Amino acid sequence: MSGMSLPIEELTPTQIVAELDRTIVGQKAAKRAVAVALRSRWRRQQLPESERLEVMPKNILMIGPTGVGKTEIARRLARLARAPFVKVEATKFTEVGYVGRDVESMVRELAAVAVRLVEQEKAEAVREESRDAALNAAAQMILGQERPNLVYGWQWNPADDEGQTPVEPEESEEGYEEALARIRTEIEQGIHDERMISIDVEEQSSPFMQVFTPQGMEEMGIDMAGNNPFGGSRTVSREVPVKIALPVLEETEAKRRISRTSIYREAVERAEQTGIIFLDEIDKIAMRSGGSGPEVSREGVQRDLLPIIEGSVVPSKFGPIRTDHILFIAAGAFHESKPSDLIPELQGRLPVRVELESLSEADFRRILTEPENSLVRQYTQLLRVDGIEVRFSDDALDEVAHMAEEVNKNTENIGARRLHTMLERLLEDLMFAAPEAGPKTVEFTCAEVREVLGPIVRNAIKSKTIL
């Protein structure tokens, strides 16, 4: 393990819970569990390297119905830690020997996410330098179009027979550096946005294919030398407007300043030391196998998960990945099974158990307005694009929350996802007609909510139809 500084935020568990509270309503126990897990990773990084190796992550098993925030908690946690994060469905995996994805593919996916994360950070570190070089390159192209004879403050005399005698420019004539600076300024002001310039673009022509590897079936890119007729990348020239060329030039300049080897090395370490894998629908592989049909390899998948969660080495195209210190968060509703249906060895590798509560009417009411990305805020902003100002009275939102809770109680409980359906039904006509309706203000009251949603809700409860 190298001594590079890993970007784990120095947040206390209280601060982590406070950050999660900004976007997720309720679920205090789950938030506390993941906050402690994240803080423990930071604590581990402060230990001497010899002791650090012995401290293993405390993997978490979240138990709770759908739509209560299991996935969102893990996703927000990864953003807080700026850590590589992968969400995978346990039902997508098959036991080694069967056609399908093997469990090691999630670790390789985590490594790919870590590479993209490190690439973004390194590109950001050289952004100013790359932007400056891209502006210079674009300015030189435009200057070459405007004054092709201008060369570093000297101008060739076209009347000279030999064409070799440099002639000093007139005092009033703009020199090369001045012209370049002027064009740079004009580019930044957007004056040349639509001007066409020629840039070199790298085209990836590497085909992808599914292949059987010792680790299972994987998608593999054939990345061969550029002169190989079967793949590789080639550079082609394209005429594009300046406003499109600048980001391409900036990306090209950034790539020149970043070492791929250092990216891969740091990404592998980031994945190993701070990676988080969220294993959803774990309950679907917890049922005892019946020995036929889709259940044939459920226990086999559990057995394959054991060495990954406990700690093993998974080969990837970026280098071998050790899984000893990756944090695994497994989650499931466990409606038709229970955690004890998991094989004992797997239960032991998920020592922290957290039960998430079903959401109440009061929780639904808070979800509608309190989070930073609340549903009401999202719909208000979407309709504002078409000039429609939407407002909801307090009693209207109370009624939406009440109806959502009633439908969940009397049909399938899908948690907060029910609110999406309710608001879609409530705003369906308005969203359809908004482009032609013109600017106006629409306010929903409790009576209007009952008028629109009441019959739909009663029918859904009575006939168990979809809502």
Side-chain angles (χ1 to χ4, degrees), residues 123-168:
E124 189 64 37
V126 297
R127 180 174 298 281
E128 289 300 322
E129 190 180 342
S130 303
R131 173 75 177 171
D132 191 61
L135 279 170
N136 273 341
Q140 285 171 350
M141 293 179 204
I142 294 173
L143 185 58
Q145 293 174 358
E146 288 185 351
R147 301 173 65 185
N149 292 330
L150 187 65
V151 182
Y152 298 103
W154 292 76
Q155 190 169 24
W156 299 110
N157 184 359
D160 185 75
D161 292 335
E162 297 296 322
Q164 299 295 320
T165 306
V167 177
E168 291 284 354

Side-chain angles (χ1 to χ4, degrees), residues 196-357:
M196 303 297 287
I197 59 174
S198 178
I199 60 171
D200 291 332
V201 181
E202 188 175 293
E203 278 191 350
Q204 292 292 337
S205 56
S206 301
F208 284 85
M209 63 171 65
Q210 281 197 325
V211 295
F212 283 102
T213 67
Q215 292 79 36
M217 179 177 278
E218 294 295 329
E219 192 179 65
M220 177 177 289
I222 305 176
D223 188 12
M224 302 181 182
N227 60 357
N228 193 300
F230 299 105
S233 61
R234 61 194 182 99
T235 301
V236 295
S237 184
R238 293 275 187 269
E239 287 278 338
V240 295
V242 169
K243 65 180 178 183
I244 294 176
L246 273 179
V248 177
L249 290 170
E250 190 174 334
E251 184 181 346
T252 303
E253 293 294 339
K255 284 180 178 178
R256 288 178 184 168
R257 291 162 171 77
I258 299 172
S259 163
R260 301 300 299 177
T261 304
S262 68
I263 287 176
Y264 293 162
R265 184 173 61 249
E266 186 174 336
V268 166
E269 181 158 0
R270 186 84 67 87
E272 289 179 343
Q273 303 302 322
T274 69
I276 299 173
I277 293 180
F278 184 78
L279 195 57
D280 207 2
E281 308 290 358
I282 191 77
D283 56 313
K284 303 302 187 295
I285 62 168
M287 302 177 207
R288 294 299 180 186
S289 174
S292 63
E295 299 180 354
V296 68
S297 66
R298 283 178 176 171
E299 286 190 20
V301 172
Q302 293 185 56
R303 286 192 298 270
D304 291 342
L305 280 171
L306 294 179
I308 302 293
I309 297 180
E310 187 175 47
S312 61
V313 178
V314 175
S316 79
K317 62 182 179 182
F318 309 112
I321 312 286
R322 294 196 64 85
T323 66
D324 302 64
H325 299 290
I326 294 173
L327 176 65
F328 289 87
I329 302 176
F334 290 96
H335 289 310
E336 300 176 12
S337 60
K338 48 189 182 295
S340 58
D341 287 336
L342 292 167
I343 59 176
E345 298 91 335
L346 188 57
Q347 292 182 48
R349 286 162 176 79
L350 299 166
V352 181
R353 305 286 175 88
V354 181
E355 191 163 348
L356 287 85
E357 310 94 2

Side-chain angles (χ1 to χ4, degrees), residues 8-261:
I8 293 183
E9 302 286 359
E10 299 179 19
L11 295 173
T12 66
T14 303
Q15 291 171 324
I16 294 170
V17 170
E19 285 293 319
L20 293 173
D21 281 341
R22 293 170 57 187
T23 52
I24 302 165
V25 170
Q27 312 303 356
K28 294 293 184 186
K31 290 174 182 174
R32 286 170 63 95
V34 296
V36 169
L38 186 61
R39 180 66 178 184
S40 293
R41 308 189 93 187
W42 179 84
R43 291 171 178 139
R44 176 179 166 272
Q45 293 299 324
Q46 312 312 308
L47 297 175
E49 193 164 333
S50 57
E51 297 177 17
R52 204 182 299 168
L53 293 170
E54 302 303 321
V55 181
M56 297 299 164
K58 304 301 183 287
N59 298 314
I60 300 169
L61 176 60
M62 291 186 182
I63 305 161
T66 184
V68 297
K70 299 187 295 292
T71 307
E72 192 63 20
I73 287 173
R75 185 181 292 120
R76 296 287 173 179
L77 184 75
R79 288 186 191 175
L80 280 178
R82 291 183 294 142
F85 173 80
V86 167
K87 175 185 180 290
V88 292
E89 309 285 334
T91 51
K92 297 284 180 67
F93 298 123
T94 56
E95 186 179 1
V96 171
Y98 291 90
V99 175
R101 292 183 66 188
D102 71 294
V103 295
E104 289 186 353
S105 64
M106 64 185 177
V107 181
R108 289 190 280 274
E109 191 177 339
L110 183 72
V113 170
V115 167
R116 289 195 294 272
L117 195 65
V118 174
E119 276 181 341
Q120 291 169 2
E121 290 177 1
K122 288 191 176 294
E124 189 64 37
V126 297
R127 180 174 298 281
E128 289 300 322
E129 190 180 342
S130 303
R131 173 75 177 171
D132 191 61
L135 279 170
N136 273 341
Q140 285 171 350
M141 293 179 204
I142 294 173
L143 185 58
Q145 293 174 358
E146 288 185 351
R147 301 173 65 185
N149 292 330
L150 187 65
V151 182
Y152 298 103
W154 292 76
Q155 190 169 24
W156 299 110
N157 184 359
D160 185 75
D161 292 335
E162 297 296 322
Q164 299 295 320
T165 306
V167 177
E168 291 284 354
E170 298 291 333
E171 285 188 13
S172 61
E173 191 173 354
E174 188 180 39
Y176 176 82
E177 294 296 338
E178 291 84 355
L180 201 61
R182 171 180 58 79
I183 294 174
R184 270 187 56 125
T185 304
E186 290 173 355
I187 291 173
E188 291 174 322
Q189 293 171 349
I191 294 173
H192 296 287
D193 276 358
E194 301 304 324
R195 185 163 191 154
M196 303 297 287
I197 59 174
S198 178
I199 60 171
D200 291 332
V201 181
E202 188 175 293
E203 278 191 350
Q204 292 292 337
S205 56
S206 301
F208 284 85
M209 63 171 65
Q210 281 197 325
V211 295
F212 283 102
T213 67
Q215 292 79 36
M217 179 177 278
E218 294 295 329
E219 192 179 65
M220 177 177 289
I222 305 176
D223 188 12
M224 302 181 182
N227 60 357
N228 193 300
F230 299 105
S233 61
R234 61 194 182 99
T235 301
V236 295
S237 184
R238 293 275 187 269
E239 287 278 338
V240 295
V242 169
K243 65 180 178 183
I244 294 176
L246 273 179
V248 177
L249 290 170
E250 190 174 334
E251 184 181 346
T252 303
E253 293 294 339
K255 284 180 178 178
R256 288 178 184 168
R257 291 162 171 77
I258 299 172
S259 163
R260 301 300 299 177
T261 304

